[in-house]
Amino acid sequence: MRILCVGLTTVDLVQRVAHLPGPDEKVQSESVDVAAGGPAANAAVTAAVLGAPLGIEVTLVSAVGAHPLGDLIRTDLAAHGVTLIDAAPERTDPPPVSAVTVLSGTGERSIVSRNAGNRTTPVPAGGLPDADLTLVDGHHPALAVAAARSARRLLVDAGSWRPVFADILPYAEVVACSASFRHPAGAVDAPHVIVTHGPAPVQWITRGQKARDIPVPPVRAVDTAGAGDAFHGALAVSLVRGEPLPTAIHEAIKVAGVRVAHAGPRTWLNYL
């Protein structure tokens, strides 16, 4: 079984603080972590860790480039079993960097990120690898559209609206939205739509049927950064295994709960 993740990879600098600094204020962080980040990359890492005992292979297609920071990304992904196909191997500018600040008291996070900016990332010369399930996050539009059109089964991470989603969503089997997602035309027309609301129940909508709520067990939040990405990675693993969607959603909720209960971008993986 093979999962293909297509989208954004960043370098995440994560610091925990007791309070966010005000203008011209400096605060001492309690800890510092550096890891590969971004929706597709975080989902790929989650899927690779969950899928390794099951023989599930996970490939990430993203733009990393030849800048020294790219080595950090490559090392981190390889350490967690993700095969990287770099769609921009000769690019010398820095990859996207996200500065993530986590409040130690609540686990809430603030993020300053450039994301992919105005970069144009083409489909790799060798094309996209075959996969049983493809996850796209809408970053790197040309890549996202190519992946959507070639996917056997398509899972879309719709964190926030991007114009490219108009070309991607018609191919989707499952669209996983955050509560802040707003489609310009209103409702998302896909066979299955999942809407997460943080600690509130997850809403599951099947085309032509009444929406259903799936409860989220209470968890003491220590670090919410990447929780949605973990949800998507776990959802991809369950779907590629052929599990019914309600079961897949429950498993994804469980994995996201493990994520928010532990500090740092990678430590939580030891508790899966």
Side-chain angles (χ1 to χ4, degrees):
M1 292 180 286
R2 289 167 290 184
I3 294 174
L4 174 65
C5 298
V6 178
L8 182 65
T9 302
T10 66
V11 174
D12 282 2
L13 171 63
V14 185
Q15 300 195 78
R16 296 181 65 82
V17 297
H19 72 276
L20 293 176
D24 294 324
E25 179 188 5
K26 294 182 179 180
V27 298
Q28 184 72 18
S29 65
E30 299 173 2
S31 64
V32 178
D33 290 288
V34 182
N42 283 332
V45 168
T46 302
V49 172
L50 290 172
L54 306 171
I56 297 174
E57 301 175 2
V58 178
T59 299
L60 170 67
V61 178
S62 188
V64 176
H67 188 276
L69 285 175
D71 292 337
L72 185 152
I73 291 172
R74 283 182 280 271
T75 299
D76 188 30
L77 294 175
H80 293 92
V82 176
T83 298
L84 172 67
I85 297 177
D86 191 350
E90 297 180 358
R91 185 175 287 160
T92 58
D93 54 328
V97 177
S98 293
V100 184
T101 305
V102 179
L103 286 173
S104 55
T106 65
E108 297 170 302
R109 83 282 192 272
S110 298
I111 302 175
V112 177
S113 180
R114 177 62 176 157
N115 289 338
N118 297 321
R119 298 178 176 198
T120 299
T121 302
V123 177
L128 297 172
D130 185 39
D132 299 290
L133 182 136
T134 300
L135 180 152
V136 299
D137 64 11
H139 293 275
H140 304 305
L143 277 177
V145 172
R149 289 175 176 171
S150 63
R152 295 184 187 178
R153 303 176 66 190
L154 181 65
L155 167 62
V156 177
D157 167 3
S160 58
W161 172 257
R162 297 182 183 87
V164 71
F165 282 136
D167 298 318
I168 293 173
L169 295 183
Y171 298 94
E173 175 183 337
V174 179
V175 179
C177 308
S178 69
S180 61
F181 181 84
R182 295 291 182 272
H183 193 299
V188 177
D189 184 19
H192 302 284
V193 178
I194 300 166
V195 185
T196 58
H197 300 82
V202 172
Q203 191 175 53
W204 167 34
I205 306 163
T206 296
R207 183 185 288 156
Q209 298 184 19
K210 184 178 179 180
R212 285 156 282 186
D213 287 342
I214 298 179
V216 174
V219 176
R220 179 180 175 273
V222 174
D223 187 345
T224 61
D229 306 335
F231 181 95
H232 300 139
L235 189 65
V237 170
S238 290
L239 290 175
V240 83
R241 294 182 65 192
E243 294 179 353
L245 189 53
T247 302
I249 296 173
H250 278 290
E251 287 299 313
I253 290 172
K254 184 187 304 182
V255 169
V258 176
R259 169 65 194 99
V260 302
H262 300 90
R266 294 289 180 260
T267 302
W268 72 278
L269 296 167
N270 297 324
Y271 297 88
L272 291 177

